[in-house]
């Protein structure tokens, strides 16, 4: 039964009902791998409300599976029938306390790893979205399930969330720490609260929580002004979640952002500011670098090494190119060609010193450094060590062949 296929309404006498009951039975298999596969199939099948409610009526017990069965239990929260079933098991209260005290922050690591795989994996091998809703963009449902998002799908869940005061606590943490940029623990906590607010606001029933707080304006400020790029990125994705609802789109529009929509006018979960520079440009902090310090830093940057002699200038340019992995091979061949045509250039101590300056100003691999230094005449190093004048070196080099011939019989 493919999870994305339209199936008949399950009943005790239907094939679909029989398959679901069989899968529920496999949840109790002694082999954990079998139980895990059964959970995955049931979770994907529960994209259809009728299937989800039938699975709930089977009253599966998943406590023995621990974290393996957690995604399926979270799916139960999306219907009133599933909410009442889990409430009777005292699952909701325990899970809410667990998420509020710790899981909400460990979710940050999980979702960032998921996003990293989504962006850095080729499309051919990227995981397909489990969503059957055509309004969802590809990969939307591939985000890890979030307890507060599933809780906000029903009126009973929203009422429990309102009574717990958790949303107000998340908004308070965002308000108090949105300017944080050094404390790593505080940044993770801030991101966890942002994801919780975004997941709650992505549901039609949960969007009402946003209207009673300043969470949206604070998240937009973080997207535009935070000095931490990962906080800006988190704010971008969270605003995309919030824009999934009509109320969310209206609130974002009031703050100068716009949400992308499909041909039916439904949000696809992406939004950007009307002035893109407010999001993509990082402004330096005032007083962070004094003018004198800035000018000193600019002066201390390595300047290009040049030479008035055309051949020497060409050599220095090619030496710089050898530091580029793309240009290195061609530059090495050109240097060998110049050495054959102009061997006198590689007997110059002045050029050697300038090449040495280039090597000192940039990062070169050891084989490249050896290649560049071996291009020069061995007497150049002798002259550098003995601090001899280059004119003396020229006279020695011109006289040496004469003495050599005089020794021949």
């Amino acid at each position: 039964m493919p999870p994305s296929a339209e199936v008949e309404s399950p009943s005790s006498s239907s094939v679909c009902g029989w398959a679901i009951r069989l899968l529920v039975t496999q949840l109790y298999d002694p082999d954990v791998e079998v139980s895990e596969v059964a959970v995955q199939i049931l979770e994907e099948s529960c994209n259809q409300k009728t299937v989800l409610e039938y699975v709930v009526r089977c009253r599966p017990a998943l406590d023995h599976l621990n974290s393996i069965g957690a995604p399926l239990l979270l799916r139960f929260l999306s219907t009133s029938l599933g909410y009442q079933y889990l409430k009777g098991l005292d699952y909701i209260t325990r899970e809410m306390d667990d998420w509020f005290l710790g899981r909400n922050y460990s979710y940050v690591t999980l979702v960032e790893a998921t996003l990293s795989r989504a962006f850095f994996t080729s499309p051919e091998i990227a995981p397909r979205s489990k969503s059957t809703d055509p309004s969802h963009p590809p990969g939307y449902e591939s985000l890890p399930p979030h307890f507060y998002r599933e809780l906000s799908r029903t009126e009973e869940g929203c009422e429990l969330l309102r009574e717990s005061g958790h949303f107000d606590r998340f908004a308070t943490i965002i308000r108090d720490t949105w300017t944080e940029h050094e404390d790593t623990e505080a940044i993770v906590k801030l991101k966890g609260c942002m994801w919780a607010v975004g997941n709650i606001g992505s549901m039609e029933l949960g969007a009402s929580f946003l209207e009673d707080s300043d969470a949206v304006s604070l998240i937009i400020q973080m997207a535009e002004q935070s000095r931490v790029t990962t906080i800006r990125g988190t704010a971008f994705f969270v605003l995309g979640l919030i824009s999934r609802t009509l109320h969310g789109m209206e609130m974002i529009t009031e703050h100068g952002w716009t949400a992308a929509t499909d041909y039916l006018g439904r949000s696809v979960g992406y939004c950007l500011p009307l002035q893109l520079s407010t999001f993509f440009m990082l402004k330096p902090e005032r007083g962070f670098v004094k003018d004198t310090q800035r000018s000193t830093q600019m002066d201390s940057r390595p300047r290009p090494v040049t030479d008035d002699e055309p051949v020497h200038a060409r050599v220095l340019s090619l030496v710089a190119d050898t530091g580029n992995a793309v240009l290195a091979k061609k530059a090495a061949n050109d240097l060998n060609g110049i050495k054959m045509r102009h061997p006198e250039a590689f007997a110059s101590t002045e050029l050697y010193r300038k090449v040495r300056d280039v090597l000192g100003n940039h990062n070169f691999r050891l084989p490249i450094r050896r290649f560049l230094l071996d291009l020069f005449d061995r007497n150049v190093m002798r002259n550098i060590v003995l601090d001899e004048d280059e004119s003396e070196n020229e006279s020695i080099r011109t006289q040496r062949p004469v003495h050599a011939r005089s020794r021949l019989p």
Side-chain angles (χ1 to χ4, degrees):
M1 181 178 63
S4 60
E6 292 293 335
V7 297
E8 60 179 321
S9 179
S11 62
S12 58
S13 59
S14 65
V15 176
C16 180
W18 170 81
I20 291 175
R21 293 194 302 275
L22 182 61
L23 287 170
V24 171
T25 303
Q26 299 304 311
L27 295 175
Y28 310 105
D29 194 280
D31 191 338
V32 178
E33 293 183 359
V34 174
S35 302
E36 186 174 2
V37 172
V39 168
Q40 292 175 355
I41 297 175
L42 286 172
E43 183 192 357
E44 295 178 3
S45 301
C46 286
N47 284 324
Q48 299 184 32
K49 186 177 179 180
T50 55
V51 175
L52 173 58
E53 291 182 345
Y54 189 82
V55 174
V56 174
R57 291 192 184 96
C58 293
R59 304 180 67 84
L62 301 175
D63 290 344
H64 64 290
L65 295 178
N66 299 321
S67 60
I68 296 177
L72 184 57
L73 288 174
L74 286 180
R75 296 302 298 270
F76 289 178
L77 283 174
S78 61
T79 64
S80 296
L81 182 64
Y83 179 90
Q84 297 300 333
Y85 170 64
L86 295 177
K87 183 179 180 181
L89 298 177
D90 196 30
Y91 168 83
I92 299 177
T93 303
R94 289 185 286 108
E95 194 72 3
M96 176 177 276
D97 291 341
D98 191 16
W99 275 80
F100 184 72
L101 297 176
R103 293 266 297 280
N104 199 41
Y105 309 125
S106 60
Y107 179 84
V108 174
T109 303
L110 179 61
V111 73
E112 289 183 352
T114 302
L115 290 171
S116 178
R117 288 194 300 270
F119 282 111
F120 293 101
T121 302
S122 61
E124 292 79 7
I125 60 176
R128 294 183 178 181
S129 172
K130 299 177 184 178
S131 175
T132 58
D133 187 348
S135 68
H136 285 175
Y140 176 79
E141 290 296 341
S142 63
L143 285 177
H146 197 288
F147 172 80
Y148 287 101
R149 179 175 64 190
E150 303 303 325
L151 188 66
S152 303
R153 292 181 184 270
T154 61
E155 293 182 359
E156 297 91 338
C158 289
E159 183 63 27
L160 177 63
L161 182 59
R162 189 171 286 106
E163 293 175 358
S164 68
H166 286 186
F167 184 90
D168 295 334
R169 178 57 182 163
F170 295 146
T172 300
I173 293 175
I174 293 175
R175 187 182 307 110
D176 294 341
T177 61
W178 77 272
T179 57
E180 181 59 54
H181 62 275
E182 293 182 351
D183 189 340
T184 304
E185 184 177 349
I187 290 175
V188 172
K189 191 173 184 179
L190 172 62
K191 291 180 181 178
C193 293
M194 291 167 62
W195 280 111
V197 168
N199 278 281
I200 293 172
S202 66
M203 298 291 105
E204 289 292 345
L205 295 175
S208 60
F209 288 91
L210 299 174
E211 299 177 350
D212 301 329
S213 71
D214 57 350
V216 173
S217 61
L218 290 172
I219 294 173
I220 288 178
Q221 287 185 52
M222 282 186 282
E224 297 178 347
Q225 302 176 22
S226 178
R227 292 169 52 190
V228 182
T229 54
T230 57
I231 291 181
R232 287 196 177 203
T234 301
F236 168 76
F237 288 112
V238 169
L239 290 172
L241 288 173
I242 293 174
S243 71
R244 297 289 304 170
T245 67
L246 180 60
H247 293 302
M249 276 200 297
E250 292 176 351
M251 296 182 69
I252 289 173
T253 302
E254 292 174 358
H255 290 84
W257 283 55
T258 181
T261 58
D262 60 11
Y263 65 96
L264 295 177
R266 299 174 300 187
S267 171
V268 295
Y270 305 113
C271 56
L272 285 172
L274 296 176
Q275 298 293 332
L276 294 179
S277 60
T278 60
F279 177 65
F280 289 105
M281 293 185 64
L282 288 173
K283 297 180 180 179
E285 184 183 9
R286 293 181 179 180
F288 185 71
V289 179
K290 296 181 179 179
D291 292 340
T292 54
Q293 292 176 329
R294 186 179 294 109
S295 60
T296 302
Q297 291 174 357
M298 293 293 292
D299 293 339
S300 63
R301 294 181 181 179
R303 297 178 179 177
V305 181
T306 59
D307 196 294
D308 295 334
E309 213 282 324
V311 176
H312 290 191
R314 177 60 177 162
V315 170
L316 292 173
S317 175
L318 292 173
V319 168
D321 288 346
T322 58
N324 187 318
V326 177
L327 304 175
K329 185 175 181 179
K330 183 178 183 303
N333 292 333
D334 291 347
L335 285 170
N336 283 325
I338 293 178
K339 184 176 181 180
M340 293 179 63
R341 295 190 302 270
H342 305 281
E344 70 281 358
F346 294 93
S348 169
T349 56
E350 179 184 359
L351 180 59
Y352 177 86
R353 288 191 175 96
K354 290 186 177 182
V355 170
R356 190 176 57 185
D357 292 340
V358 175
L359 295 178
N361 293 338
H362 304 280
N363 294 325
F364 290 85
R365 295 185 297 111
L366 183 58
I368 296 295
R369 290 177 177 270
R370 288 176 176 171
F371 165 75
L372 294 173
L373 296 179
D374 288 343
L375 289 173
F376 286 87
D377 191 285
R378 295 184 181 274
N379 286 325
V380 174
M381 182 60 70
R382 176 175 177 273
N383 295 336
I384 295 288
V385 174
L386 299 178
D387 197 22
E388 293 182 0
D389 187 77
E390 187 171 343
S391 59
E392 286 186 34
N393 180 42
E394 289 292 335
S395 63
I396 293 174
R397 191 165 57 253
T398 55
Q399 294 175 8
R400 182 170 299 165
V402 176
H403 292 306
R405 285 193 297 268
S406 64
R407 295 193 185 96
L408 294 175

